[in-house]
Amino acid sequence: MIKSFYTLLLFFIMTGAFAQQPVYTAANISDAMKKNAYSVKREEHIEFEVKAIDKAYYRVHKVVTVLNEAGKEELFFYEFSDQFQSLNAFAIHLFDANGKSIRKYNSSDLTKQATGEGLVPDGKVYYLNTPAPSYPVTIQIDYELKYNGLLDYPDFEVQLPEQSVEHAEFIAKIPPEMDLRFKAKNSTITPVISSEDKYKVYKWTADNLPALEYEEGSVSRESRYPKVLISPNKFALDDYEGDMTSWQNFGKWYGSLAKDAVNLTEERKQFFKNMVKDIPGDKEKIKTIYTYLQNNFRYVSIQLGIGGFKPFAADFVDKKKYGDCKALSNYVQACLAAVGIKSYQALINASYNKAPVDPDFPNNSFNHVIVCVPGATDSVWLECTSTTTDFGVLGNFTENRNALLITEDGGKLVPTPKSHASENCFSASSSITLNEDGSGSTETKLFATGEYRQEFLHDFFEQKKDDQKKFLVEDLGFLQPDEFVLDYDKTNRTVPVKLQMNIEKIPEFTAGNKQFLNPRVYSLWRYALPRAENRTQDFYFRHPFVKTDTTIYNLPAGYGLETLPKPKQINFEFGNFSSTYQYDEANKRIITTARLELDEYKIPAAKFLAAKKFFNDVLGEYSEKIVIKKL
């Protein structure tokens, strides 16, 4: 049961958090603390008390002034609860700009929702959004979590994006024989270490930190902002004790959880043997089993670690035809083992702008599980949660990282494949029939691979027609169609998509007997990169890519060419762009081609200005016009 705020009152009085209740008026915040800030952390006191290898309490007292709506993330409370973690106590107090009480909230105001589709024992989410009648507004949050199983120790997140800090402190208490490890990131903060009764005590303190200005497109915030990673030496979860002092030992623990879960029945093992018996080569066998998974199973989204790390048994997944990332990866491993192919599960931190985990600091920074099939010269990597990802391609979600392979000898940290532009291609080939009044019809063939297939074509075809039209115009940069028809074979991804459009106005504009046409029916690149001045962070594109276009304008009867743009060749260190234009006078048509390539998805901060200029030049090329006129 979640207790009221008064359960925590004695704790905070004893720790000094309420020794003198301050008045949290926004007027007391200095201009230095307001600069570049959406919120100001006025006071934070966190205590993490480890009672035993599998028992701990996490107590938070936090006061934040939200300066404007852009900082409203701080007004949203959200916590998971399962058999290993429970929300013991909770209270929120809201104050206006003058420090006057607006409203108090307690556990009865929380919304509780089951999570994990029944796969997580006692799986719940508690959340509360506290509306601000006006800004600035100050929120005081007090809560306690109880742990009945520990793999992760909570980190000290000193500062969030666009947040300044007046005072924050984090205290970790742990039995000396267990001890802990820590590593500061983006900070030089160090703890004061002391003894108190039966505990070794670590105390980190941060004061008067100005807000760090957000730089669009930078690395994920846990790798950008000051924090202290805190990790156990010994831990216990799922009734299994483990050692986190090395990647090898951590991998041994995870492997012990899954060893009994690779348990397909003999009948199902024979099913997979029959499936691949006539298929030559292990790679094709792996592909056949992977395709079976994609066509017959669905992914249930459960954050790694919620409900524990022990995967659901392969037999369970085989019958239910669904699972989370660890369950589906374990299932694929079992299927491959049935046909004599060795594979390993791999823990990884997923998202396109995540930094690789630190090889020198073993801890659980992972949020996803994939599969690796080792080969003599090349390994096959499998993303088991997607029904559309190409075989053997991880994509931007997990490429360019360090993955922890769970081998017979324990954990082994290895790099995942690097992204390549040639794997993410988007091409368009269009024929446009122009009418004298500027209207016309277009026929376009679209072809996509890699991330473009996943992000654009698959998701695009699941949308309603109005949303498809919006996507064509706003995301892909096509001209606004009055009518359009799509032809797409969902069973054969190698066949191009056919797009037919009727457009009332194809020229960008007309003047007298002249029509001014864009170089292409759609723009290869549509967005200016963010400002480059004083940039300190690397810039992350979602992935490297190659985009190509061929556009043919079939001119109206009686029209001819007046002006063609000159061919362009634009280069920078990490990419290139080229375009060509030609006039086929015999057939009264104009043929344009363009190719845009980005070879690296991460641009160093020192090279970002060159990248911005490159893409500005690409945008500028599209602004040039083809001019045709009535003869």
Side-chain angles (χ1 to χ4, degrees):
M1 178 183 294
I2 302 174
K3 304 170 187 175
S4 71
F5 164 73
Y6 298 103
T7 307
L8 297 178
L9 184 59
L10 180 61
F11 161 72
F12 290 120
I13 291 175
M14 293 178 67
T15 59
F18 291 150
Q20 183 176 358
Q21 181 69 43
V23 177
Y24 294 113
T25 62
N28 289 342
I29 302 172
S30 69
D31 290 340
M33 291 291 100
K34 291 178 182 178
K35 185 178 179 181
N36 297 324
Y38 296 154
S39 66
V40 181
K41 187 185 289 185
R42 313 295 298 276
E43 177 184 6
E44 181 177 63
H45 180 94
I46 298 174
E47 181 179 288
F48 178 59
E49 181 183 7
V50 180
K51 296 278 192 180
I53 193 171
D54 61 347
K55 295 286 188 295
Y57 289 89
Y58 180 72
R59 305 179 182 99
V60 176
H61 168 71
K62 181 171 68 171
V63 181
V64 176
T65 296
V66 181
L67 300 176
N68 50 52
E69 189 171 2
K72 66 181 180 181
E73 174 187 356
E74 286 286 358
L75 301 176
F76 185 67
F77 177 85
Y78 184 91
E79 276 294 343
F80 282 106
S81 178
D82 59 18
Q83 73 268 44
F84 303 112
Q85 173 181 307
S86 58
L87 182 61
N88 255 19
F90 165 82
I92 282 180
H93 195 172
L94 207 63
F95 302 88
D96 68 11
N98 298 315
K100 182 180 178 181
S101 175
I102 298 174
R103 182 175 173 182
K104 295 181 180 180
Y105 299 85
N106 57 39
S107 58
S108 64
D109 297 303
L110 287 168
T111 298
K112 180 175 69 174
Q113 183 175 317
T115 187
E117 297 193 27
L119 296 178
V120 179
D122 301 323
K124 298 180 184 67
V125 173
Y126 293 95
Y127 62 92
L128 175 66
N129 189 29
T130 54
S134 61
Y135 293 99
V137 66
T138 297
I139 185 170
Q140 175 181 304
I141 303 175
D142 299 275
Y143 66 96
E144 178 185 83
L145 299 177
K146 180 182 179 181
Y147 296 96
N148 292 304
L150 285 166
L151 171 62
D152 308 314
Y153 284 178
D155 299 327
F156 178 24
E157 294 192 358
V158 180
Q159 195 171 13
L160 298 181
E162 282 83 32
Q163 182 181 76
S164 59
V165 178
E166 291 185 339
H167 177 75
E169 60 185 36
F170 187 106
I171 297 171
K173 297 180 177 180
I174 190 165
E177 66 275 12
M178 293 177 59
D179 212 353
L180 55 77
R181 293 172 297 113
F182 62 89
K183 188 169 187 177
K185 293 286 190 179
N186 305 305
S187 174
T188 57
I189 189 172
T190 57
V192 174
I193 304 173
S194 61
S195 297
E196 179 184 304
D197 297 329
K198 59 182 179 179
Y199 292 119
K200 186 174 183 179
V201 180
Y202 296 80
K203 182 177 180 179
W204 291 268
T205 303
D207 292 298
N208 300 318
L209 301 179
L212 295 174
E213 189 173 1
Y214 173 71
E215 296 183 13
E216 184 179 344
S218 56
V219 70
S220 59
R221 77 184 197 185
E222 67 265 26
S223 299
R224 164 70 178 96
Y225 294 92
K227 71 184 300 184
V228 180
L229 299 176
I230 303 173
S231 189
N233 291 318
K234 305 289 186 180
F235 63 90
L237 187 73
D238 275 329
D239 296 324
Y240 290 80
E241 291 192 10
D243 184 309
M244 189 73 80
T245 58
S246 72
W247 291 117
Q248 182 180 24
N249 288 341
F250 180 34
K252 285 180 179 178
W253 173 81
Y254 189 88
S256 69
L257 296 180
K259 65 180 180 179
D260 295 328
V262 185
N263 64 344
L264 289 175
T265 65
E266 291 303 318
E267 179 183 0
R268 293 300 289 171
K269 289 179 183 178
Q270 189 60 48
F271 170 81
F272 289 106
K273 290 176 183 177
N274 292 337
M275 180 186 291
V276 301
K277 65 180 181 180
D278 297 323
I279 299 175
D282 281 356
K283 192 166 186 177
E284 288 303 312
K285 291 178 181 179
I286 298 167
K287 184 177 181 179
T288 299
I289 289 174
Y290 184 70
T291 302
Y292 172 78
L293 173 81
Q294 288 188 310
N295 291 339
N296 294 278
F297 291 74
R298 68 181 177 89
Y299 168 58
V300 177
S301 179
I302 303 173
Q303 182 178 323
L304 184 63
I306 299 301
F309 275 70
K310 191 171 185 177
F312 296 101
D315 183 57
F316 172 89
V317 176
D318 190 58
K319 292 174 182 175
K320 296 293 186 180
K321 298 293 188 285
Y322 62 79
D324 62 359
C325 62
K326 59 183 182 290
L328 293 175
S329 296
N330 179 75
Y331 178 72
V332 168
Q333 186 180 30
C335 296
L336 294 174
V339 300
I341 297 175
K342 179 180 288 294
S343 64
Y344 298 118
Q345 295 181 52
L347 306 183
I348 198 163
N349 60 330
S351 188
Y352 79 96
N353 64 342
K354 293 274 190 182
V357 297
D358 187 345
D360 299 324
F361 188 75
N363 77 323
N364 178 40
S365 296
F366 306 111
N367 62 359
H368 193 50
V369 184
I370 55 179
V371 168
C372 176
V373 186
T377 57
D378 195 15
S379 298
V380 177
W381 293 86
L382 303 173
E383 171 54 67
C384 300
T385 63
S386 172
T387 60
T388 58
T389 296
D390 293 337
F391 168 72
V393 176
L394 288 179
N396 66 352
F397 197 52
T398 50
E399 288 175 335
N400 313 296
R401 307 294 147 68
N402 292 325
L404 187 67
L405 291 190
I406 309 303
T407 74
E408 303 90 340
D409 300 321
K412 183 180 180 182
L413 206 63
V414 299
T416 60
K418 183 181 178 182
S419 299
H420 295 288
S422 60
E423 295 171 349
N424 305 302
C425 298
F426 187 89
S427 66
S429 179
S430 302
S431 178
I432 304 170
T433 301
L434 272 169
N435 298 322
E436 187 172 350
D437 63 358
S439 65
S441 61
T442 71
E443 292 187 4
T444 301
K445 291 182 179 179
L446 299 169
F447 184 73
T449 65
E451 294 298 326
Y452 286 119
R453 178 177 292 161
Q454 174 71 15
E455 293 176 6
F456 292 156
L457 298 187
H458 173 71
D459 295 341
F460 175 60
F461 279 92
E462 300 302 319
Q463 296 175 347
K464 296 178 181 178
K465 189 153 188 174
D466 286 348
D467 293 329
Q468 289 178 336
K469 183 176 181 179
K470 183 178 179 181
F471 184 84
L472 283 171
V473 176
E474 295 184 4
D475 290 84
L476 295 187
F478 278 90
L479 296 174
Q480 178 85 18
D482 298 293
E483 298 176 341
F484 70 94
V485 177
L486 289 161
D487 183 12
Y488 175 53
D489 185 354
K490 289 187 177 182
T491 64
N492 188 350
R493 301 178 187 177
T494 63
V495 176
V497 174
K498 295 179 181 179
L499 169 65
Q500 294 179 315
M501 298 189 295
N502 290 325
I503 302 173
E504 183 179 0
K505 182 186 176 184
I506 289 178
E508 183 74 8
F509 60 92
T510 59
N513 65 345
K514 297 179 182 180
Q515 295 186 16
F516 294 76
L517 307 172
N518 289 320
R520 289 165 287 283
V521 73
Y522 90 105
S523 51
L524 268 73
W525 188 256
R526 291 178 52 75
Y527 309 105
L529 299 187
R531 67 181 180 85
E533 296 82 4
N534 303 316
R535 188 170 182 95
T536 63
Q537 296 293 304
D538 297 342
F539 183 87
Y540 285 73
F541 289 88
R542 296 196 72 85
H543 49 77
F545 60 81
V546 176
K547 300 183 77 174
T548 62
D549 179 83
T550 299
T551 295
I552 299 174
Y553 283 105
N554 298 289
L555 306 189
Y559 273 71
L561 175 69
E562 180 172 276
T563 305
L564 270 183
K566 293 180 180 180
K568 286 286 193 305
Q569 180 68 50
I570 308 170
N571 301 298
F572 87 120
E573 184 176 349
F574 304 112
N576 60 83
F577 170 84
S578 61
S579 63
T580 66
Y581 299 86
Q582 61 176 319
Y583 179 49
D584 178 0
E585 186 172 5
N587 295 297
K588 297 296 182 183
R589 63 180 190 167
I590 296 167
I591 304 167
T592 78
T593 67
R595 185 180 188 277
L596 173 63
E597 179 171 348
L598 178 71
D599 295 318
E600 295 289 340
Y601 80 107
K602 184 171 73 171
I603 308 299
K607 304 296 181 68
F608 181 70
L609 183 60
K612 181 174 175 61
K613 181 181 184 305
F614 171 78
F615 282 100
N616 283 346
D617 290 345
V618 172
L619 288 171
E621 190 276 345
Y622 186 73
S623 68
E624 297 186 17
K625 296 293 176 278
I626 301 166
V627 184
I628 62 173
K629 66 178 181 179
K630 190 169 185 178
L631 302 175

